[in-house]
Amino acid sequence: MEKGLSQLQLAQSIGHKSLSIVSLAEIYHNNQHFNIEHLVKIAYVLDVNICDFFPKYEN
């Protein structure tokens, strides 16, 4: 949302024709999730560091 991209625009930017990969992964429907290749592409498209997708845990 911050980058102003729709789910369809993001999906197309990472090489998919429909938004289903994005929408299903967002809600974790039927265990659908992004793989590391998706995350690399999404980070590039959004111009963010891939580490931003992983929360930092403190013990």
Side-chain angles (χ1 to χ4, degrees):
M1 291 171 84
E2 290 177 23
K3 300 293 181 172
L5 292 175
S6 68
Q7 288 180 331
L8 179 59
Q9 290 170 318
L10 179 60
Q12 290 173 335
S13 295
I14 64 171
H16 292 271
K17 293 182 180 178
S18 73
L19 62 88
S20 63
I21 184 71
V22 175
S23 62
L24 293 176
E26 280 185 354
I27 61 172
Y28 197 61
H29 181 71
N30 289 336
N31 296 323
Q32 291 284 335
H33 54 83
F34 295 119
N35 63 32
I36 194 69
E37 182 180 355
H38 293 138
L39 294 177
V40 168
K41 290 177 181 179
I42 292 169
Y44 178 78
V45 168
L46 298 179
D47 192 30
V48 297
N49 188 315
I50 194 170
C51 294
D52 294 342
F53 297 142
F54 303 97
K56 295 177 181 152
Y57 294 99
E58 293 183 26
N59 292 334

